[in-house]
Amino acid sequence: MIYLDSAATSLRRPEEVIRAVCEAMRVMGNPGRGAYEASLQAARTVYQARREVGRLFGMKDPSRVVFTANVTEALNLTIGSLFGAGSHVITTCMEHNSVLRPLYRQEKRGASLTILPCDEKGRLKYEALEQAVRPETAGVICTHASNLTGNLTDIRRIGRFCREHGLRFVVDAAQTAGIFPIDMEEDGIDVLCFTGHKGLLGPQGTGGLCVREGLELEGLCVGGSGVQSYLKEQPSRMPERLEAGTANVHGIAGLLAAVRWLERTGISVIRERETKLAQQFYLGIRSAEGVTVYGDVEDTLPENHAPVIALNIEGAASDEVCDELAQEYGIAVRGGAHCAPLMHEALGTAKQGAVRFSFSFFNTEEEIEHAIRAVREIAEAVLHS
């Protein structure tokens, strides 16, 4: 199988990630629950993971790195804590449902919402930011890159805007963590939400949030923490404040190994290769008759573009194209709505959906050429059917 669905999850991972998970399952206990070696080793591993992840995002204090099951949990925690009844939140039409649905739920609880528009290429209209601010505006939450088009958001520009207006700034880095550089201080980010199983190349079931110093959030749940057991409330110190119950130590061990591999390899090296593969694919299919490519693309892909290409073949449903690619060509991609309903509305693809190709450091040029031939052959067949 040629796997071109890394925007959904990374199937190809460094071998040391797999080994780290297996080793953790053999030797690690529950961190913070004992003074014996299995517990202490788990605690050391989790702490090192906080340090490495924090350093990746410019977070100096490891205790401000909180682990969750995925970015969806991190976003729910953040949105529920920061944007309550009476507050106003600004977001964009580029967002995944992991942002939109928690915001819609907060609307029902008394918050209000402004959604910034995009143009026909899915590019955010930044000029609408100023007009969206109200006296009760609490913050801005946005994705760093669209999971549908690959268009990148200028988070530094939005971060500056938020600082100038005294607003909280929350970033969903699901599609960019491990691929694009992110610095919470320089980018003006208050809360960065990430997932471990995509660009970070870690296991599924890992993710988290980095919370800037001085900002306190309330957790989604309370319970065991391994410390201050006689308190009726969850301990107030970080990270226990936001982490209740047993952590996914085995997954976190894999995430630590993945981040170390990323640091050794170099994020810029990874991004350059993935961009090169996406560029190769785009140049190979852009002129095919009946093929429409979505997003901020012209003669070439811009440098500030995630390694994601969304397309449609005229006269063919996106899910049918995906089935053809899988069954006849052995290519795994994703079709449909991609949990991004507002982006589809902006692009005019709400009915057809889109076929999304997303690329990994571990893909090869030969695989991309095979995918190019497949798209061209399918488009040709549909055109003459």
Side-chain angles (χ1 to χ4, degrees), residues 9-310:
T9 196
S10 293
L11 186 63
R12 314 298 184 206
R13 295 181 174 87
E15 280 299 316
E16 47 260 65
V17 174
I18 299 168
R19 290 197 298 269
V21 173
C22 293
E23 183 63 14
M25 294 184 77
R26 290 192 191 98
V27 302
M28 289 187 193
N30 204 331
R33 270 64 168 185
Y36 47 88
E37 183 56 28
S39 177
L40 294 174
Q41 188 171 350
R44 288 192 291 266
T45 297
V46 173
Y47 177 75
Q48 287 298 325
R50 294 192 207 279
R51 286 189 60 187
E52 299 283 347
V53 169
R55 184 165 60 188
L56 189 66
F57 301 132
M59 170 63 65
K60 295 184 176 68
D61 183 355
S63 73
R64 312 295 295 182
V65 178
V66 175
F67 290 121
T68 61
N70 44 52
V71 72
T72 300
E73 182 180 341
L75 287 163
N76 272 265
L77 187 159
T78 303
I79 290 168
S81 184
L82 289 182
F83 306 130
S87 64
H88 171 245
V89 193
I90 301 170
T91 191
T92 82
C93 70
M94 298 169 67
E95 305 310 310
H96 189 276
N97 274 336
S98 293
V99 170
L100 294 175
R101 284 175 173 164
L103 286 175
Y104 294 149
R105 183 170 63 180
Q106 293 305 98
E107 266 195 311
K108 291 182 178 179
R109 295 172 175 175
S112 58
L113 181 62
T114 295
I115 300 174
L116 301 180
C118 294
D119 64 14
E120 69 283 354
K121 288 184 175 292
R123 295 173 297 203
L124 184 62
K125 295 185 177 181
Y126 295 96
E127 63 275 11
L129 258 174
E130 190 74 48
Q131 299 172 349
V133 176
R134 305 176 189 171
E136 68 273 21
T137 302
V140 178
I141 180 168
C142 70
T143 185
H144 192 189
S146 168
N147 73 312
L148 176 58
T149 66
N151 289 357
L152 210 67
T153 305
D154 188 346
I155 56 173
R156 187 157 297 184
R157 176 177 177 176
I158 298 176
R160 275 198 310 268
F161 177 88
C162 288
R163 284 182 172 176
E164 291 167 359
H165 291 76
L167 306 176
R168 307 292 191 205
F169 184 35
V170 180
V171 173
D172 172 8
Q175 294 297 330
T176 56
I179 304 171
F180 287 87
I182 300 172
D183 188 295
M184 290 186 63
E185 179 61 33
E186 293 184 7
D187 295 329
I189 300 170
D190 290 294
V191 183
L192 180 76
C193 299
F194 63 91
T195 199
H197 69 100
K198 298 187 184 187
L200 287 178
L201 302 177
Q204 294 179 2
T206 61
L209 59 155
C210 298
V211 187
R212 72 155 176 81
E213 192 172 352
L215 178 62
E216 300 300 336
L217 305 181
E218 293 299 321
L220 285 175
C221 59
V222 296
S225 61
V227 297
Q228 297 181 298
S229 294
Y230 290 99
L231 287 179
K232 291 183 178 180
E233 302 82 20
Q234 190 72 8
S236 60
R237 75 182 191 187
M238 293 283 281
E240 292 85 2
R241 180 185 182 93
L242 303 180
E243 292 180 354
T246 297
N248 177 13
V249 176
H250 308 143
I252 292 170
L255 180 60
L256 173 59
V259 172
R260 286 175 170 169
W261 184 89
L262 290 170
E263 290 175 335
R264 288 196 306 272
T265 306
I267 285 180
S268 61
V269 173
I270 293 167
R271 182 172 66 258
E272 182 179 346
R273 173 158 182 78
E274 292 182 354
T275 300
K276 181 181 178 182
L277 295 172
Q279 182 83 276
Q280 177 188 348
F281 178 75
Y282 173 65
L283 293 177
I285 55 92
R286 63 173 180 167
S287 62
E289 190 172 0
V291 174
T292 299
V293 180
Y294 302 98
D296 187 13
V297 294
E298 297 294 343
D299 293 334
T300 60
L301 287 178
E303 290 185 3
N304 59 338
H305 195 281
V308 174
I309 303 290

